[in-house]
Amino acid sequence: MTPLPPDSFRANGATVPPPGCPARAGSTGPRAALYGPEATTDPMGLYERLRNEHGAIAPVLLEGDVPAWLVLGYDEILHVARSPRRFTRDSRYWRDWQEGLVPADAPVVPMLGWRPNCLSQDGTEHHRLRGAVNDSLERFDRRGLRRSVNRYAGQLIDRFARDGRAELISQYAEQLPMLVLIRLFGLPEEEGPQLVGASRQLVRGSRKAVTSAQYIQDALRRLVAERKARPGRDLATWLLQHHSQLTDEEVEQHLRLVLIAANETTTNLIVNTLRVVLTDPRFRGTLNGGQITLAGAVDQVLWDEPPLMVCPARFATYDMEIDGHTVRRGDLLLLGLAAGNVDPAVRPGPGADMQGNRSHLSFSSGPHECPGADIGRALTGSGIEALLKHLPDLRLTLDEEDLSWTSSTWARHLDALPVEFTPRRVGARPPAAPFPRLRSDGPAALPAGRAAPEDPLGPARGRPAAGRQPGGG
């Protein structure tokens, strides 16, 4: 099958109905849009309507009226995710792609287009690339990761601690994961704000998605060139040095994959967990009383509000039938993780207590299960613990029903989380010094008489962290 560039599609003059045309839906009837008013204001309600109308799989449209199937059933999602020979991640199987029916500037292109990374591969090549990512991520000391989270959390909290008020999404949750990831990657710290914005535009499928994807790629290309010349103790260096012999492009693509996925999902997990801690008396009271751990709260959030509501993407490798629907070879399938988590076949009800149960779908499953799930959980737990430790009387400044969300095809984002607290004097602990900048003429020098700071994300000693799952990505 001929490879295509990740962000472009070719037209071959095939005579077929255009995307969105009812003639393309076959016997499925009209397709529901995963964008627009209903999907934006009530995505969970949309999923339940589709489940009632179509069953475990429903015909839908993405931005640009790109046709797809949304898999809604828990068992069906597991089947698709765990059957790479039937449902490949390789988007070169995508029939609409091959027929040139998706424009190059469609917002879904950056999320679905083929790239030379483990996310777009199956079989032997996936094993080679995924192994390099897993091995490189395992080299980071998890205790060092927590120290790094606490350091950056302290810096961020110090910026608003005197005010007695803050907006926790823009001032904390959106910044903390990217600060840690930038250090993990070996990127210059000043890249943070631009990368946060570009990552969010990309995942939200905005009109800036294509240009945001290019900005991220350019930044990572510069990083790879820098690390080839001056290796460090970071993810970029370890991918370059891995025995799988990744090409420069493969290293760039895997850095992009980890950056976007980890930042977006961890930010959402922090925000969603904070909202529950601040608003739900079951958690707010018991957290302070010691009857439930923060890990239990995270488990509940992963069931109720997964960081990615819809996971892209699989492509059918042959014609088949799923729950009475005919899926053709080359059809695009999306995993409805949020819908699967509330499937009545596996859960008593949407609000059922799921503390300690980690059989949710929020990190997907199978060979492409998220490789950084434990890192995301550790970053989330440490980040929230630090916030509650420094500001133990955090409280919302508005009623819970006045909170608002914005949804895209892939995720649901809380717009703002305004809080107030007792102002805290800053100065008892000086803020940590910024990490040295990367320079084109060599490593940044430390001031005379100063020793190099301890690397908070240094390589792990001893055995890798427990609980890592093969698969994901």
Side-chain angles (χ1 to χ4, degrees):
M1 192 167 294
T2 304
L4 296 177
D7 293 330
S8 64
F9 297 91
R10 62 180 175 85
N12 60 10
T15 303
V16 293
C21 175
R24 302 198 71 215
S27 61
T28 61
R31 293 175 176 265
L34 287 189
Y35 62 96
E38 184 180 11
T40 299
T41 58
D42 187 17
M44 294 302 292
L46 172 61
Y47 304 153
E48 287 311 300
R49 177 173 71 81
L50 293 175
R51 195 196 310 274
N52 292 333
E53 293 176 359
H54 300 280
I57 182 171
V60 296
L61 292 174
L62 307 181
E63 290 89 347
D65 286 344
V66 175
W69 292 98
L70 180 63
V71 187
L72 303 161
Y74 183 95
D75 289 338
E76 287 77 10
I77 290 173
L78 288 179
H79 174 68
V80 172
R82 295 174 177 177
S83 306
R85 292 187 179 181
R86 297 179 180 179
F87 306 97
T88 180
R89 285 299 308 245
D90 190 339
S91 61
R92 292 170 294 186
Y93 277 82
W94 189 9
R95 189 176 60 259
D96 289 329
W97 180 318
Q98 290 291 335
E99 294 176 352
L101 297 174
V102 182
D105 60 351
V108 297
V109 170
M111 292 294 288
L112 301 179
W114 184 89
R115 294 178 183 275
N117 62 31
C118 60
L119 199 65
S120 296
Q121 312 280 355
D122 288 302
T124 302
E125 190 64 5
H126 172 264
H127 181 76
R128 178 181 74 90
L129 297 172
R130 178 57 187 262
V133 174
N134 282 351
D135 292 346
S136 298
L137 289 175
E138 290 288 7
R139 294 185 67 172
F140 290 105
D141 179 6
R142 297 308 187 265
R143 288 175 296 181
L145 175 69
R146 292 181 184 274
R147 290 195 299 270
S148 183
V149 172
N150 289 332
R151 170 183 294 191
Y152 285 119
Q155 291 183 26
L156 292 172
I157 293 167
D158 281 352
R159 294 177 186 175
F160 54 77
R162 292 189 186 93
D163 302 334
R165 303 174 70 89
E167 196 291 289
L168 290 182
I169 297 178
S170 61
Q171 292 183 267
Y172 191 73
E174 283 187 346
Q175 298 190 47
L176 182 60
M178 187 61 80
L179 286 170
V180 175
L181 287 170
I182 283 174
R183 179 56 181 163
L184 187 154
F185 276 40
L187 279 161
E189 195 168 280
E190 60 268 25
E191 293 272 12
Q194 293 89 342
L195 287 172
V196 167
S199 175
R200 304 232 93 180
Q201 295 290 341
L202 180 59
V203 175
R204 289 179 180 180
S206 73
R207 294 180 179 180
K208 298 181 180 179
V210 175
T211 56
S212 296
Q214 188 60 54
Y215 176 85
I216 293 171
Q217 201 61 48
D218 290 343
L220 296 177
R221 186 171 294 115
R222 292 192 298 270
L223 172 64
V224 170
E226 186 85 29
R227 283 298 171 256
K228 286 188 72 176
R230 282 171 289 277
R233 297 168 65 189
D234 49 58
L235 184 60
T237 298
W238 292 334
L239 287 172
L240 285 166
Q241 295 176 345
H242 194 266
H243 61 78
S244 295
Q245 298 182 327
L246 274 63
T247 66
D248 289 1
E249 183 182 16
E250 288 172 340
V251 173
E252 293 168 15
Q253 292 296 333
H254 286 91
L255 290 173
R256 174 189 183 275
L257 174 62
V258 174
L259 180 75
I260 295 170
N263 179 65
E264 176 70 13
T265 57
T266 305
T267 294
N268 283 353
L269 187 55
I270 292 174
V271 171
N272 293 340
T273 305
L274 275 173
R275 182 192 63 78
V276 169
V277 167
L278 293 172
T279 62
D280 192 326
R282 294 178 305 167
F283 293 100
R284 185 60 174 170
T286 53
L287 274 170
N288 292 335
Q291 299 173 22
I292 182 176
T293 65
L294 185 56
V298 172
D299 286 336
Q300 186 71 32
V301 168
L302 286 169
W303 275 98
D304 294 339
E305 301 178 82
L308 281 182
M309 302 185 78
V310 174
C311 179
R314 301 299 194 276
F315 305 90
T317 59
Y318 56 83
D319 293 354
M320 65 188 74
E321 184 175 294
I322 302 177
D323 197 26
H325 296 278
T326 300
V327 176
R328 294 178 54 206
R329 183 182 188 275
D331 276 359
L332 164 64
L333 296 93
L334 308 174
L335 305 184
L337 305 182
N341 279 351
V342 295
D343 186 342
V346 297
R347 192 172 178 189
D353 187 349
M354 306 300 286
Q355 299 169 40
N357 186 331
R358 296 189 177 181
S359 59
H360 56 76
L361 300 171
S362 295
F363 297 122
S364 189
S365 185
H368 293 278
E369 185 176 2
C370 175
D374 64 324
I375 293 178
R377 292 181 66 98
L379 205 162
T380 297
S382 296
I384 294 178
E385 286 172 356
L387 188 64
L388 296 178
K389 176 181 178 181
H390 287 283
L391 307 172
D393 61 344
L394 275 176
R395 54 197 178 273
L396 280 177
T397 60
L398 44 71
D399 293 333
E400 181 181 2
E401 54 266 25
D402 293 328
L403 295 173
S404 64
W405 282 261
T406 299
S407 299
S408 69
T409 296
W410 317 112
R412 182 174 184 248
H413 305 92
L414 189 63
D415 295 324
L417 196 61
V419 296
E420 58 185 6
F421 48 86
T422 302
R424 182 177 66 81
R425 183 177 64 86
V426 178
R429 172 183 49 80
F435 290 109
R437 289 181 56 181
L438 297 178
R439 292 167 40 178
S440 58
D441 57 348
L446 290 167
R450 285 188 59 190
E454 177 188 2
D455 187 348
L457 294 177
R461 294 175 174 82
R463 283 194 265 174
R468 291 299 301 276
Q469 299 285 337

